[in-house]
Amino acid sequence: MKFVLVAVLVMVGAVLGHESVVRMDRGTATEEERRLFDFLMSNPSSKIMMLGSRVTKYKYTNCGEPLKEKMPVSQLTISPDPIPEYGDFKVTFKAEAKVNITRPVMANITIKKEVGNKWVKVPCVGQIGSCNYDDFCEILDMIGECPQPFIDNGVPCMCPFTKGNFTLPDVDLDIGGISILPTGGYSATLNF
């Protein structure tokens, strides 16, 4: 499954919570990767003044082949647009698991951050950033308990994913008073 979405980090961050991200081990990242990660994830105004660094437009595109995918996402909407840095936002999505999806789920996430007029790949540090996962289900296990709107709508947020259609209607999610990501333009691609 391959799709681009700006909000994948916001969703993972909203579900995991900022505290879990902070406690994660930085793993085997090199010192150079850690510095680049820290720079990209810091407040841009503290390092460099970037014009237009606020996310101003959300766009979701499935750039894979939905007929061949195990779980194509046919709709993903986040509002308001622009996506807020703090507080509540609404999420709507529709997906179809064409087969039962069980562990291990090998996945690759590539995240890029816009710096000036260039897109810079965010390195994988502490399982956050552009990472390869032998079993993405282990990351989903960190959620602990699915958010109530997922439970109410029968949408799984942890493995396994049973064959079927999943719809999350216009539900409110709260990312709290702590910004998960610094402002800026992001691009994320998830392949599994």
Side-chain angles (χ1 to χ4, degrees), residues 156-173:
C157 63
M158 292 181 271
C159 298
F161 295 90
T162 57
K163 182 178 178 179
N165 292 307
F166 302 105
T167 300
L168 191 66
D170 204 22
V171 299
D172 290 317
L173 295 177

Side-chain angles (χ1 to χ4, degrees), residues 104-179:
V105 175
M106 294 179 66
N108 170 274
I109 297 177
T110 303
I111 300 166
K112 295 180 181 178
K113 182 172 193 245
E114 189 174 25
V115 179
N117 63 354
K118 303 275 186 199
W119 288 93
V120 179
K121 183 177 173 182
V122 176
C124 182
V125 175
Q127 299 295 313
I128 302 294
S130 299
C131 302
N132 294 316
Y133 300 97
D134 292 329
D135 187 3
F136 193 69
C137 294
E138 291 175 1
I139 301 300
L140 296 176
D141 288 344
M142 291 182 205
I143 295 168
E145 187 175 317
C146 291
Q148 195 61 45
F150 284 70
I151 295 168
D152 293 346
N153 290 285
V155 176
C157 63
M158 292 181 271
C159 298
F161 295 90
T162 57
K163 182 178 178 179
N165 292 307
F166 302 105
T167 300
L168 191 66
D170 204 22
V171 299
D172 290 317
L173 295 177
D174 181 13
I175 58 175
I178 299 172
S179 180

